[in-house]
Amino acid sequence: MAHMKRIVAPGSWGIGRKVSKYVSVTSPGPHNAGAIPVAVWMRDQMGLARNMKEIKQILHDRQVVVNGKVCTDPHIGLGVFDIISFPRLEKHYVMLLDKSGRFATSEIDAVAAKVRLSKIRNKTTLPGGKVQLNLLFGANLVADDSYHPKDSIILTLGVDGDARFSIKEHFPYAVGNVAMVVGGQHSGRVARIREVIPVPGSVPNRVSLEDLSTGAVFETIEPYIFMVGKDEPSLGIWGITV
């Protein structure tokens, strides 16, 4: 199925419900089904095309680059901290979440578009004892054993001759470090981790945080935590202010 009714589209897409009856669905790929398809993002959020025919032509002409790779599938999903570039237009964007949990797009410069923030989903041991980091946006790379699941890293995207997936910075998942909440009622808030509260059974652990801008203390669940810095948030690379 390449489309669904707009009325049941995820609220995070932030699209009009009565513009037309159907909308594109997200194909299997680097994100879950809640990710916004490239086609929907280009047409409904950015106004870069009027219909699917124009979107397919733009993609066919290899004008869209997602996380350093040319994108030709209109159904590929975009998620938080994905980098989208239009080299011919010299335009670059980063995907974020607003305070209401909807996808928001921020324009960035060419230097910021060379790297992306990535969360480590898990890691596996390869033959020969090498460690492979499996990242939240579907990529993986070989690294040493100093990185752990739920940590974040800043990666180069192989743009302008840079090595692809070279680690520039590492933000451990630890009390005292800074995280962004990427789900639930606190989506979009940047806060310092105060405490990780273990929960027995299969229910996710809870995390207590202190909002950097207001000082308010709140809780969320562990899967919604995305590390963005150590003592201070490192989001300024993409022009993001707390």
Side-chain angles (χ1 to χ4, degrees):
M1 182 178 68
H3 61 270
M4 64 181 172
K5 290 185 178 180
R6 280 180 173 262
I7 197 69
V8 297
S12 60
W13 292 9
I15 61 175
R17 301 291 176 159
K18 298 182 179 180
V19 177
S20 59
K21 187 173 183 179
Y22 296 102
V23 69
S24 298
V25 297
T26 306
S27 65
H31 299 288
N32 61 27
I36 184 169
V38 169
V40 176
W41 177 78
M42 290 177 62
R43 182 189 59 215
D44 296 76
Q45 279 209 3
M46 302 301 294
L48 297 171
R50 293 172 295 181
N51 50 51
M52 183 61 81
K53 182 179 179 180
E54 292 183 356
I55 291 168
K56 288 182 176 180
Q57 185 61 57
I58 293 169
L59 296 175
H60 181 266
D61 290 343
R62 303 175 71 82
Q63 296 186 47
V64 182
V65 177
V66 178
N67 295 322
K69 296 187 70 175
V70 173
C71 175
T72 57
D73 182 354
H75 300 288
I76 284 293
L78 301 175
V80 181
F81 293 115
D82 275 349
I83 303 291
I84 308 101
S85 297
F86 296 84
R88 297 186 192 178
L89 301 177
E90 298 184 349
K91 294 286 187 179
H92 310 273
Y93 304 93
V94 60
M95 296 293 293
L96 300 170
L97 285 177
D98 65 16
K99 301 295 184 182
S100 300
R102 293 187 295 261
F103 284 113
T105 306
S106 178
E107 186 170 353
I108 57 176
D109 61 28
V111 175
K114 292 183 178 182
V115 295
R116 72 151 287 157
L117 187 63
S118 310
K119 181 177 180 178
I120 300 173
R121 186 195 304 271
N122 54 51
K123 61 182 183 180
T124 52
T125 302
L126 303 178
K130 294 181 179 180
V131 175
Q132 177 178 285
L133 306 181
N134 304 309
L135 307 178
L136 196 63
F137 74 102
N140 53 61
L141 70 154
V142 175
D144 60 54
D145 203 27
S146 63
Y147 304 94
H148 303 284
K150 298 187 282 291
D151 291 359
S152 290
I153 52 179
I154 293 180
L155 292 177
T156 57
L157 295 176
V159 179
D160 294 338
D162 291 345
R164 184 163 174 81
F165 292 170
S166 174
I167 299 175
K168 305 289 286 185
E169 289 192 70
H170 173 212
F171 306 133
Y173 174 65
V175 172
N177 287 353
V178 179
M180 176 180 278
V181 181
V182 295
Q185 63 178 325
H186 301 293
S187 286
R189 297 176 76 172
V190 178
R192 191 177 309 281
I193 297 177
R194 298 174 69 251
E195 182 184 7
V196 177
I197 306 166
V199 179
S202 60
V203 178
N205 292 337
R206 300 195 63 80
V207 183
S208 174
L209 304 103
E210 181 181 352
D211 193 299
L212 292 187
S213 60
T214 66
V217 175
F218 64 96
E219 286 188 8
T220 188
I221 57 174
E222 211 167 45
Y224 292 164
I225 296 295
F226 201 122
M227 303 309 300
V228 298
K230 295 179 181 177
D231 295 333
E232 298 294 334
S234 293
L235 297 172
I237 298 171
W238 298 278
I240 305 167
T241 58
V242 179

